[in-house]
Amino acid sequence: MYRIDIMTLFPETVGDALGESIIGRAQERDIVRVDTHQIRDYSTNKQKQVDDYPYGGGRGAVMTAQPLFDCRQHILDGCEPGERVRTIYCSPVGKVFTQADAIRLRDDYDRLIIACGHYEGVDERFIEECVDEEISLGDFVLTGGEIPALAIADAVLRLVPGVLPDEECFTDESHWSGLLEYPQYTRPETWQGRAVPEILLSGHHENIRKWRRKMSISRTKARRPDMYDRLDLSGKEDKKLLLEIENENACGQ
Ligand SMILES: C[S@@+](CC[C@H](N)C(=O)[O-])C[C@H]1O[C@@H](n2cnc3c(N)ncnc32)[C@H](O)[C@@H]1O
């Protein structure tokens, strides 16, 4: 069973979010397991304090290393021998998280320990001593690591076999093969005067597949030129689709 332990000052919020919907049901079926840990419970301070002033001055507070270290140690003490464990610290100075990271974390480890910072962050010595990698959710700053931890946990756990009905649920999605997903439609056929593209009603599976690929390519080109530049579109079908996209764009101008 794939396991994730989240060290946080808000265990209920984090636990509740991952106890719902698809990940919640996967937990009920013992396919995955998420445990949250209150960092404050591990503070040896009489007032259960988990932060202190920053050395060198400045605003705010920094989370002390001791409760974080002891909390992680408690989790490690409960790990099975041979379990491949990875400790992650959510941090805006980390490497920005991608789908490739979600796949790597699923494939290379059995258990993730994710530490959520708060205030101005955590004492650097905890990171040096305990953290295998620092992961950022993006180039912005949040008040705490809980949202990034939820995002990482969700992205990894939905890739665990059995969590989604079949592999196609995620291999056919944005970012799996370097493309953005094609547009999706559901009933009714016409809504607010907007009709579903006719081809999707044709029942012609091969033409639908080609249309979807074309839409994926054109969307990626328009919205994510950085991703588009990395695509290999040298296959016969893709070359033909590219020509169609160019012609359509030329007509639209
Ligand atoms: C207010 S932030 C600290 C920011 C830090 N002083 C800095 O300037 O880099 C508090 C906590 O939120 C989390 N956090 C904030 N932004 C994040 C991001 N983009 N990705 C991952 N974690 C983030 C981290 O755990 C961090 O310790």
Side-chain angles (χ1 to χ4, degrees), residues 174-214:
S174 298
H175 300 292
W176 185 264
S177 56
L179 282 166
L180 299 180
E181 196 183 57
Y182 45 83
Q184 301 264 19
Y185 299 87
T186 185
R187 289 191 291 180
E189 264 181 49
T190 303
W191 179 79
Q192 299 278 30
R194 295 167 188 274
V196 170
E198 227 167 90
I199 192 157
L200 299 179
L201 310 174
S202 68
H204 194 302
H205 297 300
E206 183 55 13
N207 285 351
I208 292 172
R209 186 193 63 74
K210 281 189 193 154
W211 180 84
R212 285 179 165 165
R213 181 146 184 98
K214 187 164 89 176

Side-chain angles (χ1 to χ4, degrees), residues 14-234:
V14 173
D16 284 353
L18 292 168
E20 302 270 7
S21 185
I22 293 167
I23 305 298
R25 286 196 291 277
Q27 291 202 66
E28 281 164 18
R29 289 186 287 139
D30 289 333
I31 297 168
V32 300
R33 178 168 161 183
V34 180
D35 290 291
T36 56
H37 306 266
Q38 172 54 270
I39 298 165
R40 202 174 292 283
D41 290 347
Y42 295 85
S43 173
T44 52
N45 179 287
K46 266 193 201 145
Q47 285 79 38
K48 292 285 174 197
Q49 194 179 332
V50 290
D51 59 291
D52 218 322
Y53 68 87
Y55 276 124
R59 293 164 73 92
V62 175
M63 287 176 73
T64 53
Q66 177 274 316
L68 288 159
F69 179 87
D70 288 355
C71 181
R72 174 175 174 270
Q73 195 53 52
H74 170 80
I75 298 165
L76 289 176
D77 290 345
C79 289
E80 299 291 331
E83 216 172 1
R84 298 170 302 166
V85 184
R86 185 85 165 163
T87 303
I88 292 164
Y89 169 54
C90 297
S91 165
V93 308
K95 181 184 166 291
V96 175
F97 190 61
T98 65
Q99 184 71 12
D101 291 311
I103 297 167
R104 173 178 58 82
L105 293 173
R106 177 202 62 176
D107 290 345
D108 294 356
Y109 306 100
D110 307 307
R111 189 161 175 170
L112 304 180
I113 300 173
I114 307 180
C116 304
H118 214 68
Y119 314 115
E120 287 308 312
V122 309
D123 190 312
E124 188 67 20
R125 292 166 297 182
F126 166 73
I127 300 169
E128 289 167 5
E129 183 73 18
C130 302
V131 171
D132 298 309
E133 64 183 288
E134 292 177 72
I135 293 183
S136 169
L137 196 59
D139 294 341
F140 45 81
V141 178
L142 299 160
T143 52
E146 284 71 22
I147 290 171
L150 285 171
I152 296 165
D154 190 294
V156 173
L157 293 177
R158 71 194 294 279
L159 302 179
V160 173
V163 172
L164 294 173
D166 58 67
E167 272 221 352
E168 250 185 45
C169 295
F170 51 79
T171 56
D172 201 23
E173 284 188 313
S174 298
H175 300 292
W176 185 264
S177 56
L179 282 166
L180 299 180
E181 196 183 57
Y182 45 83
Q184 301 264 19
Y185 299 87
T186 185
R187 289 191 291 180
E189 264 181 49
T190 303
W191 179 79
Q192 299 278 30
R194 295 167 188 274
V196 170
E198 227 167 90
I199 192 157
L200 299 179
L201 310 174
S202 68
H204 194 302
H205 297 300
E206 183 55 13
N207 285 351
I208 292 172
R209 186 193 63 74
K210 281 189 193 154
W211 180 84
R212 285 179 165 165
R213 181 146 184 98
K214 187 164 89 176
M215 295 307 288
S216 277
I217 293 171
S218 64
R219 272 189 155 186
T220 309
K221 190 175 184 199
R223 297 180 187 189
R224 291 292 301 271
D226 57 321
M227 286 171 63
Y228 182 78
D229 286 345
R230 291 195 292 269
L231 287 174
D232 176 7
L233 300 173
S234 58

Side-chain angles (χ1 to χ4, degrees), residues 238-253:
D238 287 340
K239 278 185 179 165
K240 193 164 166 265
L241 294 176
L242 275 173
L243 263 179
E244 283 178 28
I245 293 167
E246 276 167 28
N247 286 339
E248 281 163 17
N249 286 347
C251 292
Q253 277 168 4

